[in-house]
Amino acid sequence: MAAKFIILAACVATALAQYSAPAYKPAYSAPAYSAPKAYAPEPTYAPKPYSFEYSVNDPHTYDVHSQSEHSDGYGNVKGTYSLLEADGSTRVVDYTADSYGFNAEVKKIEGHGYSASAPAYKSAPAYKPAYSAPAYSAPAYSAPAYSAPAYSAPAYAAPAHSYAAPAYKPAPYKPSAYAPEPAYAPTPYNFEYSVNDPHTYDVHSQSEYSDGNGYVKGSYSLLEADGSTRTVEYTADDYNGFNAVVKNEGGYKAPAYAAPAYKPAYAAPAYSAPAYKPAYAAPAYSAPAYKPAYKPAY
């Protein structure tokens, strides 16, 4: 039995020696990664310090404020500004700023503006209940004993600020020199024209003269629809203003009109009333002859 098992194992070993396992091939190729680029530091720029200062003082709108600021170009800024408040006080702000943050100190300088005191109010009357409150005895208990924690207060040194109010000097008012109006040489003129169109009955004319110093004299005429001529003579100057005189000459006379006498369009017919005739003759009646009643003879 052992011999059979050895022979079987030898056969299996021989078969395995003749069969080679297939080489492993991945389904896809591994991606190729390039090395990261070298770190490029941010570009550096030369510091650009600056400084400015301005002030405004407008007495008409009460706009009074000023500001000044300075920077060393490395992020350190120091400045101040002031503003005139509505109550007449001046608010002054000193500020600094750096890479650690912004800090400001506000001051208020009282002025001569309006200040009103708060109205005085009477204290409310003491409340008195209508009945006496019941008396309660407080429970007796012992307060817990504890010791306050010991700690040292931090030492804080207020920053020292030096502020010099900007010296404002308004520029003195200098009115501009009065420039008189330019004088021009007088320019006199004179014109005249007339129109006479018999087809449209447009007949008019005008003439005018000026000495160039404001004095004007002229006239114009116009043919009216009734045949009259209207003439206007006018003058104008700087003292009397404009004055005109109007005249009407000629024209057609209206014809005399007499109302015609009234005549009827036809003569009224003359007729006589007809004589009355009855439509039939009245019947004639004769009275009956009298006959006595019959008397029998006895």
Side-chain angles (χ1 to χ4, degrees), residues 135-236:
Y136 296 97
S137 59
Y141 63 93
S142 59
Y146 63 91
S147 60
Y151 64 91
S152 60
Y156 171 74
H161 296 281
S162 60
Y163 168 74
Y168 173 74
K169 294 182 179 180
Y173 174 72
K174 294 181 179 180
S176 58
Y178 172 74
E181 296 183 358
Y184 301 98
T187 54
Y189 65 86
N190 187 10
F191 71 85
E192 182 176 358
Y193 71 90
S194 62
V195 177
N196 191 340
D197 188 352
H199 300 286
T200 61
Y201 301 100
D202 183 10
V203 180
H204 66 276
S205 62
Q206 184 180 4
S207 63
E208 187 174 294
Y209 161 78
S210 173
D211 63 356
N213 293 316
Y215 176 76
V216 178
K217 182 178 181 180
S219 66
Y220 68 88
S221 63
L222 174 67
L223 180 64
E224 300 284 4
D226 60 354
S228 63
T229 301
R230 181 177 59 181
T231 303
V232 179
E233 298 176 351
Y234 59 88
T235 59

Side-chain angles (χ1 to χ4, degrees), residues 16-46:
L16 291 176
Q18 294 178 356
Y19 175 77
S20 61
Y24 173 73
K25 294 181 180 180
Y28 63 93
S29 59
Y33 295 97
S34 60
K37 296 181 180 181
Y39 172 73
E42 295 183 358
T44 58
Y45 301 97

Side-chain angles (χ1 to χ4, degrees), residues 52-75:
F52 69 86
E53 181 178 357
Y54 72 90
S55 60
V56 176
N57 190 342
D58 189 351
H60 300 285
T61 61
Y62 301 99
D63 184 8
V64 181
H65 65 277
S66 62
Q67 184 180 4
S68 63
E69 186 176 294
H70 166 74
S71 173
D72 60 359
Y74 292 98

Side-chain angles (χ1 to χ4, degrees), residues 77-81 91-98 101-107 156 159 161:
V77 179
K78 182 177 181 181
T80 179
Y81 70 87
R91 180 177 58 183
V92 180
V93 179
D94 297 331
Y95 59 90
T96 58
D98 51 26
F102 178 83
N103 295 281
E105 181 181 359
V106 183
K107 301 177 183 179
Y156 171 74
H161 296 281

